[in-house]
Amino acid sequence: MDDQRRRLRLLSANIQAGSSTRRYSDYATRSWSHVLPAGNKRGSLDTIAQLAGEHDIVGLNESDPGSLRSGFTNQTHYLAQRAGFDYWSHQPNRRVGSVASSANGLLSKLEPREVIDHPLPGRVKGRGVLMAHFGDHDDALTVAVAHLSLGAGSRASQLAFIAELLHDHPHAVLMGDFNCSIEQPEMRTLFQRTRLQPPEAALPTFPSWRPQRAIDHILIGDGLRCSSARAVPAAQSDHLALSLELEVPDHALR
């Protein structure tokens, strides 16, 4: 007989440190906003907090951990407070010049049993995967948040590393900005080495103002079920966020 299942809402969002990008030209004309504490970053965070608060577990990419550009605000902590999450973790991993920094983040309304910070391999250091376990057993729900490299070679080594962590795990979730589509060869290797499944339909998330590329993903193990997947704005970030409903067996949360 099937386990009773609990329904959770998941969100994966590259928040671009609260910066605003509405067209390609903004990368040049508004480049200062990525390293200086200007623009309405706090307003953007408040908008993202409203969206995040509708979910149970949220994975964040490009969340500033408290550098000059964010006014020394730990944005993951700020979002946790504004959106009503009791549990949060962050993984600072990349510095942008001498005045900005970037992190993966995790917000949760469920208490993780353990959160582990893994640096990822790659030609350029500064990428990582943040992994949370929500039960005591080997098949407990495990949620991993990652932001992969732009280069295919580095992504391949990073996905091989993640595959070792999630190998043979039926209740795993891997979410984040992969910087590549599902069809890339390195992604096929991930599916061969884990029980993660390709999504039924890839949702374009980039650029947010005219989504053409599906490079943000929420991948789930074959012991989980999902529904209601959609792409939604994350304030004025250059990525749309991904939201879905996840059905988790009760025993995976004990």
Side-chain angles (χ1 to χ4, degrees):
M1 184 175 175
D2 232 6
D3 258 334
Q4 292 294 312
R5 289 179 173 255
R6 180 169 175 181
R7 189 179 293 270
L8 303 174
R9 295 195 70 191
L10 270 59
L11 181 75
S12 178
N14 181 326
I15 65 171
Q16 205 185 14
S19 295
S20 171
T21 305
R22 304 180 188 183
R23 58 190 68 85
Y24 279 114
S25 60
D26 284 353
Y27 289 115
T29 61
R30 296 178 58 83
S31 58
W32 48 267
S33 72
H34 298 285
V35 294
L36 295 176
N40 189 23
K41 292 186 175 72
R42 187 62 58 92
S44 292
L45 291 179
D46 289 342
T47 300
I48 293 165
Q50 288 184 324
L51 173 64
E54 300 170 0
H55 297 79
D56 300 293
I57 299 174
V58 177
L60 302 172
N61 301 130
E62 294 193 24
S63 178
D64 195 292
S67 65
L68 175 64
R69 70 170 168 181
S70 66
F72 302 103
T73 297
N74 183 316
Q75 293 181 335
T76 304
H77 185 208
Y78 180 85
L79 289 171
Q81 290 184 314
R82 294 289 288 179
F85 288 89
D86 290 331
Y87 308 101
W88 67 278
S89 298
H90 76 143
Q91 179 191 38
N93 45 39
R94 285 189 301 139
R95 293 199 64 79
V96 183
S98 61
V99 292
S101 186
S102 189
N104 293 324
L106 179 76
L107 312 175
S108 179
K109 294 176 180 174
L110 289 70
E111 182 177 8
R113 294 288 189 266
E114 182 181 38
V115 179
I116 306 172
D117 174 339
H118 294 281
L120 287 175
R123 187 175 60 83
V124 179
K125 301 299 181 185
R127 301 281 182 172
V129 57
L130 188 62
M131 186 171 296
H133 301 285
F134 288 90
D136 293 324
H137 307 291
D138 289 342
D139 63 350
L141 176 66
T142 295
V143 176
V145 180
H147 188 180
L148 303 184
S149 291
L150 292 169
S154 291
R155 282 199 307 272
S157 60
Q158 290 161 1
L159 287 166
F161 180 87
I162 292 171
E164 287 298 315
L165 297 176
L166 300 180
H167 175 68
D168 203 31
H169 199 307
H171 303 128
V173 176
L174 175 60
M175 66 168 92
D177 178 355
F178 288 54
N179 273 312
C180 71
S181 68
I182 289 295
E183 291 76 21
Q184 291 298 109
E186 59 268 29
M187 293 296 292
R188 291 199 294 270
T189 301
L190 175 74
F191 296 129
Q192 291 167 358
R193 296 183 183 180
T194 71
R195 295 172 67 172
L196 295 170
Q197 303 295 300
E200 290 185 3
L203 298 174
T205 56
F206 184 86
S208 58
W209 56 91
R210 192 180 297 164
Q212 297 173 328
R213 299 177 61 203
I215 61 174
D216 300 88
H217 308 291
I218 302 178
L219 307 177
I220 68 170
D222 56 10
L224 302 168
R225 302 173 189 162
C226 73
S227 60
S228 305
R230 60 195 180 106
V232 295
Q236 299 296 332
S237 172
D238 56 350
H239 290 247
L240 296 179
L242 290 179
S243 170
L244 59 74
E245 293 187 3
L246 188 71
E247 291 185 19
V248 185
D250 276 349
H251 77 267
L253 295 170
R254 290 197 291 264

